[in-house]
Amino acid sequence: MDVNLIRARMNLFAVLQNLEDLVALDSEMTKFTRSWNLSIQFSVLNGPSAFLEFKQGSCKHGAGKHPNPTVRLLFLSPAHVNKMFDGKGSPIPLKGFSKLGFLQKDFAKLTGRLEYFLKPAKGQVQDETYRKINTTLSLYTAAYAVRELALLEPTCKQLANATPNGVLMIHVLPDGPAVHLTVEKGLFAVGKGVHAHPTAKMTFKDLKAANDLLGGRLDVSLAVSEQSLMLSGVLPVIENTTMILDRVEKYLA
């Protein structure tokens, strides 16, 4: 098992994708990126790649190669990617040298804002606006991380292979966020938003309950007993997925 590869894929596909929603949800970043019209390619030598595309205050994340990126950044190994996400390393620019100042200043401000919302200081989640963004980004990070763990991590791969085909929807009442994970032959696909016909559901009674569980201040058993979390549908889908979820922190802490 290549731990660095697992972490790199989680960073590229679970953490980086949050910039889509950060730009949409955080009015400060919507305004800050409104004039951006560029794309950034992140590529690991002989490994995974992802890109970000910014247009008029919106951001799109994608897996694979962008057809014509404004900036192309190379990483020599998965460990190199992880060093950048840990703030201890820098990529190798291959294209877009005129944008180096942008990367060091403006893009760094955006990623710093992402860290601000993903790693709350004590007491920050008491603010309703902060809590909503933190919960949304944390939920999406966890869902996309499950996909990567099920693909590569041996224990999670076994759990995924033992999971019945179906759709697990995780929904925070009354109006979201929501995410759904589709399982087919041991492989997970992730979709944002409500699914019309899920096989199983994990429904949080409110944003605080979801935030407490995602933040490690509440466990699933207690949440269920307090009716802060309602489970329904095909239980093996829920049980196996939550066991994979429990391992996310090991790689993204």
Side-chain angles (χ1 to χ4, degrees), residues 9 25 45 100 124-125 134 184 188 220:
R9 288 185 63 93
L25 294 171
L45 186 65
L100 291 180
Q124 276 183 317
V125 292
N134 171 258
E184 187 172 354
F188 281 79
V220 172

Side-chain angles (χ1 to χ4, degrees), residues 150 154-164 183 185-188 240 244:
T155 299
C156 296
K157 201 168 184 178
Q158 288 181 355
L159 287 166
N161 287 333
T163 303
V183 192
K185 296 180 180 179
L187 298 176
F188 281 79
N240 290 359
I244 297 174

Side-chain angles (χ1 to χ4, degrees), residues 20-242:
E20 283 188 346
D21 299 284
L22 176 66
V23 169
L25 294 171
D26 180 20
S27 58
E28 181 178 330
M29 289 298 102
T30 304
K31 294 175 184 176
F32 182 63
T33 61
R34 189 163 289 159
S35 63
W36 295 13
N37 185 17
L38 77 162
S39 52
I40 306 172
Q41 178 74 58
F42 302 80
S43 298
V44 182
L45 186 65
N46 301 317
S49 58
F51 64 84
L52 295 169
E53 187 174 70
F54 296 92
K55 284 185 180 179
Q56 299 175 335
S58 69
C59 173
K60 174 188 174 183
H61 173 272
K65 295 182 180 180
H66 188 278
N68 186 28
T70 312
V71 178
R72 185 178 288 122
L73 303 175
L74 175 68
F75 301 88
L76 298 178
S77 66
H80 189 183
V81 174
N82 298 331
K83 285 182 180 179
M84 185 195 75
F85 277 85
D86 292 340
K88 299 175 182 177
S90 300
I92 301 169
L94 297 182
K95 181 183 178 183
F97 294 98
S98 64
K99 298 293 184 182
L100 291 180
F102 162 83
L103 292 172
Q104 293 167 353
K105 184 180 178 182
D106 293 345
F107 187 67
K109 181 176 178 178
L110 179 64
T111 56
R113 188 72 169 169
L114 177 60
E115 183 174 10
Y116 165 78
F117 279 110
L118 282 177
K119 298 179 179 180
K122 186 176 181 180
Q124 276 183 317
V125 292
Q126 302 307 314
D127 177 81
E128 281 297 319
T129 301
Y130 184 96
R131 180 186 288 165
K132 178 68 181 257
I133 297 176
N134 171 258
T135 303
T136 302
L137 301 185
S138 298
L139 178 60
Y140 292 163
T141 299
Y144 281 94
V146 163
R147 183 186 66 181
E148 300 307 320
L149 287 176
L151 189 66
L152 294 173
E153 207 260 9
T155 299
C156 296
K157 201 168 184 178
Q158 288 181 355
L159 287 166
N161 287 333
T163 303
N165 291 349
V167 179
L168 170 62
M169 181 171 73
I170 306 173
H171 188 198
V172 182
L173 298 177
D175 56 357
V179 67
H180 53 275
L181 298 98
T182 302
V183 192
E184 187 172 354
K185 296 180 180 179
L187 298 176
F188 281 79
V190 184
K192 296 175 182 178
V194 172
H195 191 278
H197 303 289
T199 311
K201 292 192 290 185
M202 298 176 65
T203 307
F204 290 95
K205 72 171 186 179
D206 55 30
L207 199 64
K208 184 180 185 303
N211 192 268
D212 284 345
L213 190 141
L214 290 166
R217 295 177 297 278
L218 179 67
D219 63 37
V220 172
S221 298
L222 183 58
V224 171
S225 69
E226 293 179 343
Q227 296 188 322
S228 297
L229 173 63
M230 287 71 76
L231 308 179
S232 61
V234 180
L235 289 181
V237 175
I238 298 173
E239 290 168 350
N240 290 359
T241 305
T242 53

